[in-house]
Amino acid sequence: MRKLTYFVGATLDGCIAAPDGGFDFFTPHVTPDFLPFLSTDFADALPTPGRAALGVADAPNTRFDTVLMGRGTYAPGLAAGLTSPYAHLRQIVFSRSLTTSPDPAVEVTDEDPVALVRALKREEGLGIWLCGGAELAGRLLPEIDELVVKQYPVVAGSGVPLFRADFSPRTFRLADSRVFEGGNVVLTYARTPE
């Protein structure tokens, strides 16, 4: 069965974006020692223009073949004219306000995320990447098999949290950790059986 991985960047205080949804403050922390890791281990999770810039545009997908996003996660690229940010993946955007897709390569749905993820998991293929945001992650928390947090050495003070959900503690087991010279840490957690 395919697994759902929430692969996301976060501050030391657990924010994935600024209060307005922006995430440009992470950019200075994508240091020269961290970039090769992203372009090899997680090339599937790079936006299509980023893959081209790093010379991995034609690299086959090895980890993911599907990406899930909430409307807020999709919006910044859309505002910049990038209607298909991950053209190398099947792209699904969950939205109640966006009724039609601005790009034929992007599926827009108001379907129940849990039901859709369960159906996706039964399909053949590579992993499913939950790109964000907090509300979608909160709704999909029971279905997340792996949590990979790119923790940047910055404190935001406030912003969009990793998850927005009702209080319902879930346990994950630390499966791997990598520390980079620039201060970035990548923490990989596996969901523990309930």
Side-chain angles (χ1 to χ4, degrees), residues 86-168:
Y86 300 99
H88 54 286
L89 301 173
R90 177 180 178 190
Q91 303 167 88
I92 302 173
V93 176
F94 291 89
S95 178
R96 290 181 294 274
S97 60
L98 188 64
T99 55
T100 58
S101 176
D103 192 294
V106 176
E107 300 172 44
V108 174
T109 183
D110 62 357
E111 193 175 335
D112 172 46
V114 172
L116 182 60
V117 164
R118 287 178 179 163
L120 289 171
K121 283 182 172 184
R122 289 190 297 269
E123 294 176 1
E124 292 292 321
L126 297 174
I128 306 158
W129 169 36
L130 171 57
C131 181
E135 291 184 30
L136 183 57
R139 291 183 68 189
L140 288 173
L141 183 54
E143 293 299 318
I144 294 173
D145 302 296
E146 182 180 56
L147 174 60
V148 181
V149 180
K150 299 172 289 181
Q151 190 175 61
Y152 294 92
V154 63
V155 173
S158 67
V160 179
L162 277 165
F163 296 91
R164 276 203 184 104
D166 293 334
F167 183 77
S168 177

Side-chain angles (χ1 to χ4, degrees), residues 25-61:
F25 64 93
F26 285 129
T27 304
H29 303 285
V30 180
T31 54
D33 65 317
F34 191 51
L35 198 54
F37 165 77
L38 293 176
S39 63
T40 55
D41 289 34
F42 284 92
D44 301 350
L46 292 171
T48 302
R51 286 171 59 96
L54 294 170
V56 294
D58 296 327
N61 293 340

